[in-house]
């Protein structure tokens, strides 16, 4: 593919910032445009190391605004899109589903319409240099019992407003492929962990709370199971798929790394005790069992054989090493943690863009 200008949506967020960094550094001949609304979850402090790169540009904007999106596509004539912008936290989707429906469903539809209007779909038969790559989640498949794994063919069965909104967006992306011939790829990934994740998600929240001697709210009995993948391995998988995936196909991405929440939390407590010089067992005393999340999916486990077998991707990092690195990052970057939790970054960047 001879790609030139690539739109990445949600590039200021957790996974998006890792992907932007990877692509800007690896492909100097690509122009990477990062479009992000800079909600509470996204901030440009995540990207200071690439902000002055000649092949990188940031645009502040909202994917829900159809006119703005059309004008943006008109201006830049993107060759390809990698779409990550989303509302991403299940608990927030329970408190306020409409934000999720607007950004995740309407926002995705706006991007699809804009791509369709600038890419002449009659010319989109392979080989084409255009691609709409949609980044999605394994949560669209619903909840597993003790056995089995999600495959690309597993029927969708989303159970939270978040996963239902992501499932809707996946359906729209696939529909634009079948109906209009838009060249698309979808990947569905398991839970990510690593640096720069907003501390409302389990791992950074608990690191932050342990550090500050605050309680660790474990939902239900802590028996729910998640499959954890290091975020930089997810970014690598997106890079591999972006360049090599078969148009119109879906690929699962996962770490083959299932953890019961309570066991994972105990590992975090143990590493934190060591790093903070506390006696073993001290951080575990902060564990507090609280009312379960409504509709809490019991287990996610992803079968990524297709990606591994067809395209040769494998996770690079063992979980023990990855969690240690992750904890160290949050401890070293205390200022980042404080600024995202207090909203200081959001306030700072809002003022910067309001004055333009
Ligand atoms: P995140 O919440 O950290 O980041 C989302 C980014 O999107 C933020 O920078 C935010 O400002 C931006 N955004 C939100 N609404 C927007 C809008 N209306 N217009 C423009 N930008 C907007 O999310 P994340 O964890 O990095 O997830 C990125 C993508 O990957 C999402 O699509 C998510 O569904 C998917 N995903 C996440 C995980 C995970 O474990 N975090 C796993 C699988 C898939
Ligand atoms: P989370 O990081 O919110 O990711 P997701 O819901 O997308 O899997 O939660 C991971 C698991 O941890 C999930 O089973 C819910 C649980 N959890 C808690 O027990 N306490 C918490 O405070 C949070 C945020 C999550």
């Amino acid at each position: 593919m001879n790609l030139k200008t690539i739109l990445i949506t949600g590039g200021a967020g957790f996974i998006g910032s890792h992907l932007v960094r990877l692509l800007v550094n690896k492909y100097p001949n690509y122009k990477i445009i990062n479009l992000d609304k800079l909600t509470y979850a996204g901030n440009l402090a995540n990207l200071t190391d690439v902000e002055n790169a000649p092949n990188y540009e940031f645009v502040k904007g909202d994917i829900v605004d159809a006119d703005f999106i059309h004008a943006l596509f008109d201006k830049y004539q993107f060759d390809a899109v990698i779409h990550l912008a989303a509302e991403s936290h299940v608990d927030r989707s329970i408190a306020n589903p409409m934000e999720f429906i607007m950004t995740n469903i309407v926002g995705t539809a706006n991007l699809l319409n804009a791509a369709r209007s600038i890419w002449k779909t009659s010319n989109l038969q392979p080989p084409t240099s255009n691609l709409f790559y949609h980044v999605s989640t394994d949560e669209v498949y619903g909840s597993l019992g003790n056995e089995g794994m999600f495959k690309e063919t597993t029927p969708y069965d989303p159970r939270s407003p978040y996963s239902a909104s992501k499932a809707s967006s996946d359906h729209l992306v696939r529909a634009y492929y079948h109906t209009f011939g838009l060249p698309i790829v979808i990947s569905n990934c398991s839970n990510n962990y690593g640096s720069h994740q907003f501390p409302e998600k389990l791992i950074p929240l608990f690191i932050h709370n342990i550090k500050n001697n605050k309680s660790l709210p474990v939902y239900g009995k802590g028996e729910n199971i998640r499959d954890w993948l290091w975020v930089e391995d997810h970014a690598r998988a997106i890079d591999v798929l972006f360049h090599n995936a078969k148009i119109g196909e879906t690929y699962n991405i996962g770490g083959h790394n299932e953890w019961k929440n309570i066991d994972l939390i105990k590992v975090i407590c143990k590493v934190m005790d060591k790093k903070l010089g506390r006696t073993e067992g001290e951080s575990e005393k902060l564990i507090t069992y609280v009312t379960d999340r409504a509709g809490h999916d019991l287990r996610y486990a992803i079968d990524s054989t297709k990606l591994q077998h067809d395209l040769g991707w494998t996770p690079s990092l063992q979980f023990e090493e990855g969690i240690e690195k992750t904890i160290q990052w949050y401890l070293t970057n205390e200022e980042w943690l404080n600024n995202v939790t207090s909203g200081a970054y959001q306030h700072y960047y809002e003022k910067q863009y309001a004055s333009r």
Side-chain angles (χ1 to χ4, degrees), residues 323-348:
I323 196 72
E324 204 276 335
K325 264 175 118 132
T326 301
I327 290 173
Q328 189 56 51
W329 188 87
Y330 287 100
L331 292 178
T332 309
N333 291 275
E334 203 180 351
E335 195 186 332
W336 181 95
L337 209 48
N338 291 337
N339 284 341
V340 291
T341 28
S342 68
Y345 279 143
Q346 203 184 4
H347 186 63
Y348 171 76

Side-chain angles (χ1 to χ4, degrees), residues 35 37 60-73 102-103 105-111 113-114:
L35 166 67
K37 185 180 172 184
K60 185 176 187 299
D62 189 343
I63 59 168
V64 176
D65 182 344
D67 293 342
F68 163 76
I69 291 297
H70 271 276
L72 191 78
F73 274 70
M102 294 311 293
T103 288
I105 306 176
V106 177
T108 301
N110 286 338
L111 292 164
N113 287 332

Side-chain angles (χ1 to χ4, degrees), residues 13-15 36-37 39 42 62-63 84 88 103 136 162 166 192:
F14 168 46
I15 300 167
D36 200 295
K37 185 180 172 184
T39 67
D62 189 343
I63 59 168
L84 295 96
S88 68
T103 288
S136 194
Y162 164 64
K166 291 296 291 186
N192 285 210

Side-chain angles (χ1 to χ4, degrees), residues 4 24 44-45 52 55 80 93 121 123 147 158 178 198 207 212 244 255 308 310 322:
K4 297 219 166 48
V24 165
L44 294 175
N52 295 319
N55 61 337
S93 83
T121 46
N123 299 331
E147 299 294 317
H178 289 297
F198 191 84
I207 295 170
N212 295 295
N244 303 294
Q308 303 206 16
D310 291 4

Side-chain angles (χ1 to χ4, degrees), residues 89-91 139 191 200-202 205-206 217-219 224 226 228 261 293 296 300:
H89 189 44
V90 174
D91 292 329
E139 302 190 25
N191 286 60
E200 63 185 351
K201 305 272 169 69
L202 180 74
L205 175 71
F206 278 31
V218 178
Y219 298 162
N224 304 68
R226 297 292 181 264
W228 294 93
N261 287 345
R293 172 188 279 171
H296 197 173
Y300 303 144

